[in-house]
Amino acid sequence: MDHVSRILEQWHRERPDLDVTPMGLLGRLGRLHAHLIREVEAVTGSYGLNRASFDVLATLRRSGAPYELSPSDLLAATMVTSGTMTNRIDQLEKQGLVERIPNPEDGRSVKVGLTDKGLALIDQAVTAHVENQHRLTAMLSTEDFQALDTLLGKYLTAFED
């Protein structure tokens, strides 16, 4: 029995008039999220990255060569405020992982690009991250994995459409 099941039993006993079924699903999703984030941060942290810095570097890396995006494209891909993004870029630039590059199409703006050091680091970190994701999902059978992925995709789409 998981922790959420014990909570649901208590609510059923104390408030049998309430249908707490959604509490079970949402509680499990929340607790699972917390466990998974701890595991993910342990891996990214071993590369000197927090989730935010990993997110920026990974976004640049998956954009493809030359691994450059405008700050507004980074904002759209990561869904943070412009002030937060500026701070993230500043910190990564101080570490020598990204650089601001004049935009050849618009002299008034810049692009943010991975440095060689940043590219090497994110390639190592994302390899470890993907290995960790496989470890974190290994307890699911192929069928359970596919079913859960499909259901969560449907659920998420309801919020994102």
Side-chain angles (χ1 to χ4, degrees):
M1 177 182 297
D2 66 20
H3 182 73
V4 174
S5 293
R6 288 188 286 280
I7 291 171
L8 294 175
E9 282 182 355
Q10 292 169 334
W11 279 118
H12 285 303
R13 183 187 68 237
E14 296 300 317
R15 290 291 310 269
D17 58 307
L18 291 178
D19 176 9
V20 294
T21 306
M23 187 185 294
L25 175 67
L26 298 177
R28 286 185 181 96
L29 286 173
R31 290 181 61 81
L32 186 57
H33 178 260
H35 287 293
L36 295 173
I37 289 301
R38 262 193 312 278
E39 297 288 333
V40 166
E41 288 177 341
V43 171
T44 58
S46 71
Y47 290 88
L49 301 171
N50 58 32
R51 280 190 356 209
S53 58
F54 178 86
D55 191 28
V56 171
L57 296 177
T59 299
L60 289 168
R61 177 62 176 95
R62 72 176 185 260
S63 72
Y67 315 114
E68 299 172 358
L69 291 171
S70 69
S72 60
D73 288 338
L74 278 170
L75 275 171
T78 58
M79 299 186 304
V80 298
T81 66
S82 60
T84 299
M85 182 55 68
T86 299
N87 184 47
R88 287 182 185 179
I89 294 167
D90 289 346
Q91 295 305 312
L92 291 167
E93 190 173 38
K94 286 178 189 173
Q95 296 172 49
L97 302 174
V98 301
E99 60 186 343
R100 287 179 167 92
I101 303 158
N103 186 343
E105 298 165 11
D106 179 0
R108 299 167 296 157
S109 66
V110 297
K111 290 190 170 197
V112 178
L114 288 175
T115 62
D116 290 342
K117 178 182 175 183
L119 178 61
L121 179 64
I122 193 58
D123 274 346
Q124 291 174 352
V126 80
T127 297
H129 177 65
V130 170
E131 289 170 0
N132 190 40
Q133 289 177 324
H134 280 276
R135 181 184 67 81
L136 292 171
T137 59
M139 70 281 297
L140 298 171
S141 70
T142 301
E143 295 79 20
D144 286 347
F145 180 97
Q146 290 171 346
L148 182 59
D149 191 47
T150 298
L151 289 172
L152 289 174
K154 287 179 183 177
Y155 193 29
L156 184 58
T157 298
F159 287 93
E160 293 185 345
D161 270 357

mmCIF file of all heavy atoms in Angstrom, residues 43-77:
data_model
loop_
_atom_site.group_PDB
_atom_site.id
_atom_site.type_symbol
_atom_site.label_atom_id
_atom_site.label_comp_id
_atom_site.label_asym_id
_atom_site.label_seq_id
_atom_site.Cartn_x
_atom_site.Cartn_y
_atom_site.Cartn_z
ATOM 1 N N VAL A 43 21.372 13.626 -10.850
ATOM 2 C CA VAL A 43 22.204 13.406 -12.039
ATOM 3 C C VAL A 43 22.675 14.728 -12.625
ATOM 4 O O VAL A 43 23.868 14.910 -12.881
ATOM 5 C CB VAL A 43 21.451 12.553 -13.091
ATOM 6 C CG1 VAL A 43 22.216 12.518 -14.411
ATOM 7 C CG2 VAL A 43 21.238 11.145 -12.567
ATOM 8 N N THR A 44 21.769 15.682 -12.839
ATOM 9 C CA THR A 44 22.197 16.957 -13.417
ATOM 10 C C THR A 44 23.160 17.677 -12.477
ATOM 11 O O THR A 44 24.120 18.304 -12.929
ATOM 12 C CB THR A 44 20.998 17.864 -13.764
ATOM 13 O OG1 THR A 44 20.213 18.100 -12.593
ATOM 14 C CG2 THR A 44 20.138 17.248 -14.849
ATOM 15 N N GLY A 45 22.926 17.553 -11.184
ATOM 16 C CA GLY A 45 23.820 18.168 -10.201
ATOM 17 C C GLY A 45 25.223 17.606 -10.244
ATOM 18 O O GLY A 45 26.198 18.318 -9.968
ATOM 19 N N SER A 46 25.354 16.348 -10.603
ATOM 20 C CA SER A 46 26.693 15.746 -10.685
ATOM 21 C C SER A 46 27.512 16.363 -11.829
ATOM 22 O O SER A 46 28.722 16.173 -11.887
ATOM 23 C CB SER A 46 26.587 14.224 -10.837
ATOM 24 O OG SER A 46 26.102 13.871 -12.113
ATOM 25 N N TYR A 47 26.851 17.100 -12.708
ATOM 26 C CA TYR A 47 27.538 17.812 -13.785
ATOM 27 C C TYR A 47 27.629 19.310 -13.499
ATOM 28 O O TYR A 47 27.962 20.106 -14.382
ATOM 29 C CB TYR A 47 26.826 17.570 -15.128
ATOM 30 C CG TYR A 47 27.024 16.149 -15.592
ATOM 31 C CD1 TYR A 47 26.153 15.141 -15.201
ATOM 32 C CD2 TYR A 47 28.121 15.811 -16.385
ATOM 33 C CE1 TYR A 47 26.360 13.826 -15.591
ATOM 34 C CE2 TYR A 47 28.333 14.512 -16.778
ATOM 35 C CZ TYR A 47 27.455 13.525 -16.376
ATOM 36 O OH TYR A 47 27.675 12.224 -16.746
ATOM 37 N N GLY A 48 27.296 19.700 -12.270
ATOM 38 C CA GLY A 48 27.357 21.100 -11.890
ATOM 39 C C GLY A 48 26.203 21.921 -12.436
ATOM 40 O O GLY A 48 26.288 23.144 -12.504
ATOM 41 N N LEU A 49 25.116 21.243 -12.816
ATOM 42 C CA LEU A 49 23.968 21.929 -13.402
ATOM 43 C C LEU A 49 22.747 21.777 -12.511
ATOM 44 O O LEU A 49 22.521 20.713 -11.934
ATOM 45 C CB LEU A 49 23.647 21.341 -14.783
ATOM 46 C CG LEU A 49 24.755 21.399 -15.831
ATOM 47 C CD1 LEU A 49 24.372 20.583 -17.057
ATOM 48 C CD2 LEU A 49 25.056 22.843 -16.206
ATOM 49 N N ASN A 50 21.966 22.840 -12.423
ATOM 50 C CA ASN A 50 20.652 22.702 -11.801
ATOM 51 C C ASN A 50 19.645 22.471 -12.927
ATOM 52 O O ASN A 50 20.003 22.464 -14.110
ATOM 53 C CB ASN A 50 20.303 23.927 -10.937
ATOM 54 C CG ASN A 50 20.317 25.226 -11.726
ATOM 55 O OD1 ASN A 50 20.003 25.266 -12.919
ATOM 56 N ND2 ASN A 50 20.684 26.309 -11.065
ATOM 57 N N ARG A 51 18.382 22.258 -12.561
ATOM 58 C CA ARG A 51 17.376 21.978 -13.602
ATOM 59 C C ARG A 51 17.276 23.107 -14.605
ATOM 60 O O ARG A 51 17.109 22.886 -15.798
ATOM 61 C CB ARG A 51 16.008 21.721 -12.965
ATOM 62 C CG ARG A 51 15.884 20.345 -12.427
ATOM 63 C CD ARG A 51 14.505 19.942 -11.998
ATOM 64 N NE ARG A 51 13.492 20.969 -12.079
ATOM 65 C CZ ARG A 51 12.435 21.040 -11.297
ATOM 66 N NH1 ARG A 51 12.247 20.163 -10.365
ATOM 67 N NH2 ARG A 51 11.557 21.996 -11.444
ATOM 68 N N ALA A 52 17.372 24.349 -14.131
ATOM 69 C CA ALA A 52 17.225 25.507 -15.018
ATOM 70 C C ALA A 52 18.371 25.584 -16.018
ATOM 71 O O ALA A 52 18.147 25.785 -17.218
ATOM 72 C CB ALA A 52 17.150 26.790 -14.188
ATOM 73 N N SER A 53 19.596 25.423 -15.539
ATOM 74 C CA SER A 53 20.731 25.512 -16.454
ATOM 75 C C SER A 53 20.750 24.317 -17.412
ATOM 76 O O SER A 53 21.056 24.472 -18.599
ATOM 77 C CB SER A 53 22.049 25.637 -15.688
ATOM 78 O OG SER A 53 22.246 24.557 -14.807
ATOM 79 N N PHE A 54 20.398 23.141 -16.912
ATOM 80 C CA PHE A 54 20.303 21.974 -17.782
ATOM 81 C C PHE A 54 19.272 22.226 -18.877
ATOM 82 O O PHE A 54 19.502 21.919 -20.049
ATOM 83 C CB PHE A 54 19.926 20.726 -16.973
ATOM 84 C CG PHE A 54 19.760 19.488 -17.810
ATOM 85 C CD1 PHE A 54 20.850 18.697 -18.117
ATOM 86 C CD2 PHE A 54 18.510 19.128 -18.298
ATOM 87 C CE1 PHE A 54 20.708 17.555 -18.901
ATOM 88 C CE2 PHE A 54 18.350 17.996 -19.089
ATOM 89 C CZ PHE A 54 19.457 17.210 -19.389
ATOM 90 N N ASP A 55 18.135 22.814 -18.511
ATOM 91 C CA ASP A 55 17.054 23.081 -19.453
ATOM 92 C C ASP A 55 17.516 24.000 -20.582
ATOM 93 O O ASP A 55 17.248 23.744 -21.765
ATOM 94 C CB ASP A 55 15.863 23.680 -18.709
ATOM 95 C CG ASP A 55 14.600 23.756 -19.543
ATOM 96 O OD1 ASP A 55 14.429 22.935 -20.466
ATOM 97 O OD2 ASP A 55 13.758 24.626 -19.252
ATOM 98 N N VAL A 56 18.231 25.068 -20.247
ATOM 99 C CA VAL A 56 18.715 26.002 -21.275
ATOM 100 C C VAL A 56 19.718 25.310 -22.188
ATOM 101 O O VAL A 56 19.608 25.393 -23.422
ATOM 102 C CB VAL A 56 19.330 27.272 -20.643
ATOM 103 C CG1 VAL A 56 20.019 28.130 -21.701
ATOM 104 C CG2 VAL A 56 18.258 28.081 -19.921
ATOM 105 N N LEU A 57 20.690 24.620 -21.598
ATOM 106 C CA LEU A 57 21.706 23.948 -22.412
ATOM 107 C C LEU A 57 21.080 22.868 -23.287
ATOM 108 O O LEU A 57 21.430 22.735 -24.469
ATOM 109 C CB LEU A 57 22.802 23.349 -21.525
ATOM 110 C CG LEU A 57 23.643 24.341 -20.724
ATOM 111 C CD1 LEU A 57 24.642 23.593 -19.839
ATOM 112 C CD2 LEU A 57 24.345 25.334 -21.619
ATOM 113 N N ALA A 58 20.151 22.105 -22.732
ATOM 114 C CA ALA A 58 19.500 21.038 -23.506
ATOM 115 C C ALA A 58 18.649 21.619 -24.632
ATOM 116 O O ALA A 58 18.595 21.064 -25.734
ATOM 117 C CB ALA A 58 18.652 20.162 -22.590
ATOM 118 N N THR A 59 17.991 22.752 -24.377
ATOM 119 C CA THR A 59 17.189 23.403 -25.410
ATOM 120 C C THR A 59 18.079 23.848 -26.563
ATOM 121 O O THR A 59 17.738 23.642 -27.733
ATOM 122 C CB THR A 59 16.407 24.592 -24.823
ATOM 123 O OG1 THR A 59 15.533 24.109 -23.797
ATOM 124 C CG2 THR A 59 15.587 25.301 -25.880
ATOM 125 N N LEU A 60 19.216 24.439 -26.244
ATOM 126 C CA LEU A 60 20.158 24.850 -27.294
ATOM 127 C C LEU A 60 20.681 23.629 -28.047
ATOM 128 O O LEU A 60 20.768 23.643 -29.277
ATOM 129 C CB LEU A 60 21.318 25.642 -26.693
ATOM 130 C CG LEU A 60 20.970 27.041 -26.198
ATOM 131 C CD1 LEU A 60 22.111 27.612 -25.359
ATOM 132 C CD2 LEU A 60 20.636 27.963 -27.360
ATOM 133 N N ARG A 61 20.998 22.562 -27.327
ATOM 134 C CA ARG A 61 21.573 21.367 -27.965
ATOM 135 C C ARG A 61 20.573 20.714 -28.909
ATOM 136 O O ARG A 61 20.915 20.317 -30.016
ATOM 137 C CB ARG A 61 22.034 20.375 -26.891
ATOM 138 C CG ARG A 61 22.587 19.070 -27.435
ATOM 139 C CD ARG A 61 23.817 19.333 -28.288
ATOM 140 N NE ARG A 61 24.443 18.125 -28.763
ATOM 141 C CZ ARG A 61 24.212 17.572 -29.959
ATOM 142 N NH1 ARG A 61 23.358 18.128 -30.797
ATOM 143 N NH2 ARG A 61 24.843 16.478 -30.320
ATOM 144 N N ARG A 62 19.333 20.599 -28.476
ATOM 145 C CA ARG A 62 18.349 19.911 -29.319
ATOM 146 C C ARG A 62 17.860 20.779 -30.483
ATOM 147 O O ARG A 62 17.192 20.285 -31.382
ATOM 148 C CB ARG A 62 17.186 19.378 -28.486
ATOM 149 C CG ARG A 62 16.227 20.394 -27.953
ATOM 150 C CD ARG A 62 15.051 19.727 -27.225
ATOM 151 N NE ARG A 62 14.094 20.702 -26.825
ATOM 152 C CZ ARG A 62 14.000 21.209 -25.590
ATOM 153 N NH1 ARG A 62 14.786 20.781 -24.639
ATOM 154 N NH2 ARG A 62 13.097 22.128 -25.330
ATOM 155 N N SER A 63 18.238 22.067 -30.474
ATOM 156 C CA SER A 63 17.862 22.942 -31.588
ATOM 157 C C SER A 63 18.678 22.617 -32.838
ATOM 158 O O SER A 63 18.316 23.029 -33.931
ATOM 159 C CB SER A 63 18.043 24.413 -31.204
ATOM 160 O OG SER A 63 19.408 24.761 -31.141
ATOM 161 N N GLY A 64 19.777 21.881 -32.683
ATOM 162 C CA GLY A 64 20.613 21.509 -33.816
ATOM 163 C C GLY A 64 21.679 22.545 -34.100
ATOM 164 O O GLY A 64 21.604 23.686 -33.635
ATOM 165 N N ALA A 65 22.664 22.114 -34.864
ATOM 166 C CA ALA A 65 23.776 23.012 -35.212
ATOM 167 C C ALA A 65 23.218 24.239 -35.917
ATOM 168 O O ALA A 65 22.274 24.139 -36.684
ATOM 169 C CB ALA A 65 24.773 22.271 -36.094
ATOM 170 N N PRO A 66 23.704 25.405 -35.602
ATOM 171 C CA PRO A 66 24.886 25.735 -34.814
ATOM 172 C C PRO A 66 24.618 25.914 -33.310
ATOM 173 O O PRO A 66 25.414 26.551 -32.613
ATOM 174 C CB PRO A 66 25.363 27.043 -35.437
ATOM 175 C CG PRO A 66 24.084 27.722 -35.856
ATOM 176 C CD PRO A 66 23.165 26.603 -36.277
ATOM 177 N N TYR A 67 23.513 25.365 -32.804
ATOM 178 C CA TYR A 67 23.180 25.391 -31.362
ATOM 179 C C TYR A 67 23.024 26.813 -30.845
ATOM 180 O O TYR A 67 23.559 27.180 -29.807
ATOM 181 C CB TYR A 67 24.204 24.605 -30.530
ATOM 182 C CG TYR A 67 24.552 23.280 -31.141
ATOM 183 C CD1 TYR A 67 25.831 23.018 -31.617
ATOM 184 C CD2 TYR A 67 23.585 22.289 -31.272
ATOM 185 C CE1 TYR A 67 26.145 21.797 -32.208
ATOM 186 C CE2 TYR A 67 23.881 21.067 -31.864
ATOM 187 C CZ TYR A 67 25.159 20.834 -32.324
ATOM 188 O OH TYR A 67 25.462 19.637 -32.901
ATOM 189 N N GLU A 68 22.275 27.604 -31.594
ATOM 190 C CA GLU A 68 22.019 29.006 -31.252
ATOM 191 C C GLU A 68 20.530 29.287 -31.348
ATOM 192 O O GLU A 68 19.860 28.800 -32.258
ATOM 193 C CB GLU A 68 22.736 29.946 -32.232
ATOM 194 C CG GLU A 68 24.220 29.823 -32.264
ATOM 195 C CD GLU A 68 24.844 30.647 -33.395
ATOM 196 O OE1 GLU A 68 24.100 31.284 -34.188
ATOM 197 O OE2 GLU A 68 26.076 30.638 -33.490
ATOM 198 N N LEU A 69 20.039 30.069 -30.409
ATOM 199 C CA LEU A 69 18.648 30.528 -30.437
ATOM 200 C C LEU A 69 18.601 31.963 -29.942
ATOM 201 O O LEU A 69 19.467 32.393 -29.173
ATOM 202 C CB LEU A 69 17.766 29.666 -29.532
ATOM 203 C CG LEU A 69 17.516 28.221 -29.957
ATOM 204 C CD1 LEU A 69 16.807 27.459 -28.848
ATOM 205 C CD2 LEU A 69 16.702 28.169 -31.244
ATOM 206 N N SER A 70 17.577 32.663 -30.351
ATOM 207 C CA SER A 70 17.364 34.004 -29.802
ATOM 208 C C SER A 70 16.850 33.844 -28.379
ATOM 209 O O SER A 70 16.265 32.811 -28.030
ATOM 210 C CB SER A 70 16.342 34.765 -30.643
ATOM 211 O OG SER A 70 15.059 34.185 -30.463
ATOM 212 N N PRO A 71 17.055 34.845 -27.549
ATOM 213 C CA PRO A 71 16.505 34.772 -26.198
ATOM 214 C C PRO A 71 14.991 34.541 -26.196
ATOM 215 O O PRO A 71 14.473 33.817 -25.342
ATOM 216 C CB PRO A 71 16.874 36.120 -25.583
ATOM 217 C CG PRO A 71 18.142 36.503 -26.300
ATOM 218 C CD PRO A 71 17.921 36.012 -27.720
ATOM 219 N N SER A 72 14.276 35.111 -27.165
ATOM 220 C CA SER A 72 12.818 34.906 -27.202
ATOM 221 C C SER A 72 12.478 33.461 -27.560
ATOM 222 O O SER A 72 11.501 32.902 -27.049
ATOM 223 C CB SER A 72 12.144 35.883 -28.159
ATOM 224 O OG SER A 72 12.629 35.719 -29.465
ATOM 225 N N ASP A 73 13.274 32.826 -28.420
ATOM 226 C CA ASP A 73 13.049 31.410 -28.716
ATOM 227 C C ASP A 73 13.325 30.549 -27.491
ATOM 228 O O ASP A 73 12.622 29.577 -27.229
ATOM 229 C CB ASP A 73 13.926 30.946 -29.885
ATOM 230 C CG ASP A 73 13.455 31.495 -31.226
ATOM 231 O OD1 ASP A 73 12.270 31.867 -31.340
ATOM 232 O OD2 ASP A 73 14.289 31.558 -32.154
ATOM 233 N N LEU A 74 14.356 30.907 -26.732
ATOM 234 C CA LEU A 74 14.629 30.192 -25.481
ATOM 235 C C LEU A 74 13.474 30.366 -24.496
ATOM 236 O O LEU A 74 13.084 29.425 -23.822
ATOM 237 C CB LEU A 74 15.929 30.688 -24.844
ATOM 238 C CG LEU A 74 17.212 30.094 -25.387
ATOM 239 C CD1 LEU A 74 18.422 30.847 -24.833
ATOM 240 C CD2 LEU A 74 17.312 28.613 -25.069
ATOM 241 N N LEU A 75 12.945 31.582 -24.428
ATOM 242 C CA LEU A 75 11.802 31.845 -23.555
ATOM 243 C C LEU A 75 10.616 30.959 -23.922
ATOM 244 O O LEU A 75 9.980 30.365 -23.051
ATOM 245 C CB LEU A 75 11.369 33.308 -23.663
ATOM 246 C CG LEU A 75 12.090 34.306 -22.798
ATOM 247 C CD1 LEU A 75 11.695 35.722 -23.198
ATOM 248 C CD2 LEU A 75 11.802 34.071 -21.348
ATOM 249 N N ALA A 76 10.327 30.877 -25.206
ATOM 250 C CA ALA A 76 9.182 30.084 -25.664
ATOM 251 C C ALA A 76 9.387 28.606 -25.374
ATOM 252 O O ALA A 76 8.437 27.902 -25.029
ATOM 253 C CB ALA A 76 8.967 30.305 -27.161
ATOM 254 N N ALA A 77 10.611 28.133 -25.478
ATOM 255 C CA ALA A 77 10.889 26.708 -25.276
ATOM 256 C C ALA A 77 10.900 26.320 -23.806
ATOM 257 O O ALA A 77 10.660 25.163 -23.472
ATOM 258 C CB ALA A 77 12.225 26.348 -25.917
#
